Amino acid sequence: MYGKIFTLILAVFGFCLTSYSQVDLGTGTGWGNLFPSEPLVVDDNFQSYDFFHSDDVPDAGNSNNSIDPATQEIIMGYTNRKWDVRYIGAQASQAHFDCYQCAFAPEWPTAYAYKNATDNTPNVSDGFVEISRTYGSEPGEIQGYFIVDLRELDYVEIVQYTHSSCGGTKRGVLLEYSIDDSLTWDTLRMQLSDGRTGSFYTSDITGPTRMESFYNCQESAYGMVWEDGLWASNVMLRFGISPNQVPRIHDLKVYGTVLDPGNPSSADDLGINGLKIHSYDRFIRISEPANVKIYNIAGALVRAVENSHTVSTVDLNDGVYIVKAQAGNKLKTTKVFVR
């Protein structure tokens, strides 16, 4: 376990500094720079969902709302949908998807790929979920979102995703995360429409600093490919609007650990690694009373408590720590960030 943790840390601080510079900045970070060690548990290109879009062709713009001339009521070009996706290899555990004011086009390529009769950017699939915006140019516009609830995963390592625009070449995307059951959301990645000063991304949700991004969305109409590390439990993701832009999400891949209650071989059912550990608001929280030891990144023990649900880290320096918890025969070791 320690080897995995330190490998992840090296991936974050090493490969993020070197590999991204090898990627075409017009198409995002690319995939494969963070080298996931956990299995692929979600792989969706949104091609299995019924079409719902007000336009006829991919480059006609966003799914427009309209006014019924007879009743003067708004005909919404976006709809609400919820569905579940079984984790790969799991018998019961699922990711829960919640789309509020979204449109769906399961066969459409990216806008400019269609317009110019060419291919999408590599790794960008045909088909997408489109998220509505509040912009003022159409009747009844409502800002939408697309939530991916991964809380049934014991651990989320890396998320890979692709996006394009509904036309034009300067569209952005926003991806937020929550690790406190949607009470608060913070930015995992924001790409503004033209890469201007002030756009930023965070490549690790455990890091407290938002780093300036040198990627821009100049070519987003052909599709852009993104990869971000999470390294956390109890994760929810929310795709949304990067100021006044309409993103289309084409692909979603998640790497993580499934402890599946429907699988008799699941480690959770065997009582091994059955604890959940979360770090939030200067406290480490354990899913049940446990004996807890906290080590700094150099391996030195900095705190030890017995039979406790929570451990205060108020007096610890910001940074990465290793937490080892034991409750009976349940063991859990994980990396946390104190901030």
Side-chain angles (χ1 to χ4, degrees):
M1 186 65 185
Y2 283 114
K4 178 187 290 185
I5 291 167
F6 285 109
T7 298
L8 289 175
I9 294 169
L10 287 174
V12 175
F13 294 106
F15 291 107
C16 282
L17 292 176
T18 59
S19 297
Y20 284 155
S21 62
Q22 303 169 12
V23 179
D24 179 358
L25 301 188
T27 55
T29 64
W31 294 346
N33 297 306
L34 297 183
F35 299 97
S37 58
E38 296 295 325
L40 179 66
V41 294
V42 174
D43 188 2
D44 202 335
N45 56 17
F46 311 112
Q47 294 178 349
S48 62
Y49 308 107
D50 293 338
F51 180 91
F52 184 94
H53 203 282
S54 65
D55 290 316
D56 296 325
V57 293
D59 69 341
N62 52 299
S63 189
N64 300 318
N65 301 332
S66 60
I67 298 291
D68 187 324
T71 65
Q72 294 301 301
E73 294 180 350
I74 298 172
I75 302 172
M76 301 300 290
Y78 294 94
T79 188
N80 305 329
R81 287 184 184 176
K82 294 183 179 181
W83 70 96
D84 298 327
V85 174
R86 186 70 50 81
Y87 290 122
I88 296 171
Q91 296 184 21
S93 295
Q94 301 177 108
H96 308 286
F97 289 2
D98 181 2
C99 280
Y100 175 70
Q101 292 300 289
C102 293
F104 300 81
E107 297 180 355
W108 282 3
T110 64
Y112 270 36
Y114 172 86
K115 183 177 182 179
N116 297 335
T118 187
D119 294 329
N120 298 339
T121 298
N123 290 320
V124 178
S125 300
D126 290 349
F128 54 76
V129 175
E130 178 185 300
I131 302 168
S132 66
R133 65 179 174 179
T134 301
Y135 191 60
S137 61
E138 297 177 21
E141 286 187 326
I142 301 172
Q143 185 159 313
Y145 57 74
F146 173 23
I147 289 178
V148 181
D149 185 347
L150 303 172
R151 287 177 294 178
E152 288 188 23
L153 285 178
D154 185 64
Y155 176 71
V156 179
E157 183 186 25
I158 290 168
V159 57
Q160 298 171 334
Y161 51 101
T162 67
H163 100 282
S164 71
S165 72
C166 65
T169 60
K170 297 182 179 180
R171 307 290 177 156
V173 67
L174 170 68
L175 178 57
E176 299 172 294
Y177 69 91
S178 175
I179 52 176
D180 59 4
D181 303 313
S182 78
L183 292 176
T184 60
W185 295 89
D186 204 352
T187 301
L188 180 61
R189 179 176 293 277
M190 176 183 279
Q191 296 296 153
L192 300 181
S193 59
D194 58 3
R196 60 186 180 271
T197 301
S199 63
F200 57 82
Y201 74 96
T202 50
S203 61
D204 183 347
I205 71 170
T206 60
T209 302
R210 291 174 173 174
M211 297 175 288
E212 184 75 15
S213 174
F214 49 84
Y215 301 101
N216 66 57
C217 294
Q218 191 74 14
E219 298 300 325
S220 63
Y222 291 98
M224 304 193 74
V225 181
W226 304 104
E227 178 178 60
D228 290 298
L230 289 108
W231 301 286
S233 300
N234 207 51
V235 173
M236 300 176 72
L237 301 175
R238 183 170 69 183
F239 292 95
I241 305 301
S242 176
N244 294 329
Q245 307 301 321
V246 178
R248 292 171 168 177
I249 310 302
H250 288 256
D251 301 271
L252 176 65
K253 298 177 183 288
V254 178
Y255 297 83
T257 303
V258 179
L259 296 181
D260 183 21
N263 185 347
S265 65
S266 165
D268 200 28
D269 290 335
L270 296 175
I272 302 170
N273 292 332
L275 298 174
K276 296 185 182 297
I277 300 172
H278 309 298
S279 177
Y280 179 72
D281 196 23
R282 307 299 299 193
F283 277 87
I284 293 171
R285 293 170 169 82
I286 300 91
S287 56
E288 62 184 87
N291 297 333
V292 183
K293 294 182 178 179
I294 303 175
Y295 301 84
N296 64 21
I297 201 65
L301 179 66
V302 296
R303 180 134 309 150
V305 300
E306 295 185 357
N307 195 35
S308 180
H309 269 293
T310 61
V311 183
S312 173
T313 60
V314 171
D315 59 331
L316 297 181
N317 294 330
D318 288 359
V320 177
Y321 291 85
I322 308 303
V323 179
K324 182 176 181 180
Q326 180 170 0
N329 67 337
K330 296 182 180 180
L331 301 172
K332 180 75 172 183
T333 302
T334 192
K335 182 192 76 171
V336 302
F337 198 102
V338 171
R339 58 175 175 175

